[in-house]
Amino acid sequence: MIRGHKALAAVLGAVILTASCSRAPEPRTRMEFLLGTACSVTLHDRASPDLLDRVFRRVKEIEDRMSATVEDGDIGRVNAGAGKRAVRVEEDTFAVVEAGLEFSRMSGGAFNVAVGPLVSLWGIGTEGARLPEKGEIAAAAARTDYQKVRLHREARTIFLEEPGMALDLGAIAKGYAADEAARLLREDGVTSAVIDFGGNIVALGSHPAGRLWRVGVQNPDLSRGQYLGVLEARDLAVVSSGVYERFFTGPDGKRYHHILDSKTGYPVENGLTGVTVTARDSMVADALSTTFFALGLPAGLELADRIDGVEALFITGGRELHATRGLRESFKVTDPSFRMAGE
Ligand code: AMP
Ligand code: MG
């Protein structure tokens, strides 16, 4: 009892000490369910009273414009116009689709901004998730040619050339939203905050105690919130893609996850269970985590090594880790059942 008491006093002492030293206010967190996931923002220093309202209003606006399931949103209308008409969209939607197309070209379609028909056919992460028939899969895969996405910059329109085509920004929009949240925070003078949109993390500024942020890297074999290692970072976006995020078990007992190979029409199967990417921008990290996951090893790692300001960690089903050189410096494995390849 006395021991427990002392420990508690020590903890409280530490809390008071930090508070009085830095005069940091209590952290304020708000969480809302948006973009199909839990989105939270934690502020560690002072901010305008309406800042969090403005941040979440902006995220909701992004969801309304960019979610493929919002029928009267930008992407909903572009998809409804497939094979018929070019649709004018908001500037932010245009920019995200344009970026998505660039990642599609850069990866030869491993990342595919036009993967929509397969995403809705499989319905992974929704109540309607199911293992489709081979014929349905082939038919949907045939409608995912990103080279048939026409952008008209001046008119700010998007045209999908074939009927049945559909854009899906699920692999990039959360990252864009996290960047927008970070922008609003920085504009308000916030210097210490954590944005976490379903595992898309922006560690903004530095920790209130002045040290680096410590960001846990999800163990893909376990449920959310269990880490295999820790990354130390300042002012950095950290995004993970993996088999654990959305999946269902088919009638055959097999697990089907949500990152789809638009060439085969099936979930990507390349031995990876997860990829974590760090970059300045969350949108870039988001798009690249999906891209690297879909490319697999060694192609994904080779590409990661060639992109400036981007680091990546690849996790295999055999619990082997492969990392870019820069990442090895800031990352520590904490779960001994994982080991860094070549060490
Ligand atoms: P992420 O969690 O960022 O890796 O994104 C996965 C989500 O992106 C899925 O839930 C789909 O909405 C969408 N998606 C699935 N496969 C692909 C792909 N090959 N390229 C781009 N987006 C994809
Ligand atoms: Mg992504």
Side-chain angles (χ1 to χ4, degrees):
M1 274 310 279
I2 291 168
R3 244 201 195 166
H5 216 83
K6 266 193 183 158
L8 184 65
V11 170
L12 286 175
V15 170
I16 292 162
L17 207 67
T18 356
S20 58
C21 280
S22 61
R23 282 194 232 97
E26 284 291 293
R28 271 194 296 151
T29 300
R30 186 181 306 177
M31 201 273 277
E32 285 186 25
F33 197 80
L34 288 165
L35 298 164
T37 191
C39 292
S40 75
V41 177
T42 301
L43 301 175
H44 287 272
D45 56 1
R46 289 190 179 77
S48 307
D50 70 334
L51 178 62
L52 289 176
D53 290 338
R54 283 190 279 127
V55 166
F56 281 96
R57 234 181 291 134
R58 176 70 180 123
V59 177
K60 178 78 171 74
E61 181 175 64
I62 292 167
E63 170 176 84
D64 288 344
R65 291 176 181 175
M66 303 189 195
S67 163
T69 54
V70 176
E71 278 175 27
D72 59 354
D74 280 347
I75 297 301
R77 289 184 305 111
V78 167
N79 291 348
K84 290 182 242 164
R85 69 187 87 86
V87 174
R88 184 173 164 86
V89 298
E90 299 290 343
E91 236 160 81
D92 51 4
T93 308
F94 192 88
V96 174
V97 172
E98 198 171 38
L101 257 185
E102 273 167 35
F103 286 105
S104 306
R105 290 192 194 108
M106 186 190 80
S107 66
F111 181 101
N112 188 341
V113 73
V115 73
L118 284 168
V119 173
S120 40
L121 176 66
W122 283 85
I124 297 171
T126 72
E127 279 174 16
R130 68 184 177 99
L131 176 57
E133 302 291 332
K134 282 202 175 91
E136 295 175 289
I137 292 174
R143 288 186 271 111
T144 60
D145 185 355
Y146 61 88
Q147 298 184 76
K148 292 182 176 162
V149 179
R150 290 270 164 265
L151 300 189
H152 192 302
R153 177 170 273 294
E154 287 70 44
R156 222 202 292 145
T157 59
I158 304 175
F159 177 48
L160 307 179
E161 289 180 355
E162 303 280 342
M165 283 180 73
L167 299 178
D168 184 287
L169 299 181
I172 187 170
K174 270 195 302 218
Y176 174 75
D179 283 336
E180 281 294 281
R183 178 179 64 78
L184 291 170
L185 263 50
R186 289 191 178 107
E187 281 175 9
D188 200 66
V190 171
T191 58
S192 181
V194 176
I195 297 163
D196 182 349
F197 291 178
N200 283 42
I201 289 168
V202 178
L204 192 149
S206 53
H207 187 275
R211 60 168 171 82
L212 297 173
W213 293 109
R214 292 164 58 80
V215 181
V217 174
Q218 172 69 36
N219 177 342
D221 303 336
L222 301 174
S223 60
R224 272 272 171 87
Q226 285 171 290
Y227 306 126
L228 64 83
V230 175
L231 263 170
E232 291 202 315
R234 180 192 305 275
D235 249 329
L236 202 69
V238 183
V239 179
S240 301
S241 285
V243 296
Y244 54 90
E245 273 187 45
R246 291 159 186 253
F247 60 86
F248 75 97
T249 307
D252 51 0
K254 238 180 101 154
R255 245 173 81 153
Y256 294 91
H257 67 82
H258 71 145
I259 302 172
L260 304 165
D261 177 341
S262 49
K263 296 201 170 80
T264 64
Y266 284 81
V268 170
E269 261 188 271
N270 57 18
L272 290 178
T273 50
V275 172
T276 295
V277 175
T278 70
R280 282 289 296 177
D281 294 342
S282 180
M283 182 176 82
V284 169
D286 192 0
L288 287 178
S289 69
T290 312
T291 303
F292 295 157
F293 185 95
L295 284 173
L297 285 167
L301 184 58
E302 282 164 13
L303 179 59
D305 269 324
R306 288 204 308 269
I307 307 177
D308 272 351
V310 167
E311 304 297 340
L313 177 74
F314 293 70
I315 307 156
T316 75
R319 298 200 158 190
E320 215 178 55
L321 305 172
H322 297 256
T324 53
R325 258 160 279 126
L327 192 113
R328 285 165 185 252
E329 291 159 20
S330 57
F331 175 74
K332 272 191 209 71
V333 182
T334 52
D335 179 336
S337 69
F338 287 83
R339 61 176 193 86
M340 193 62 82
E343 273 179 11

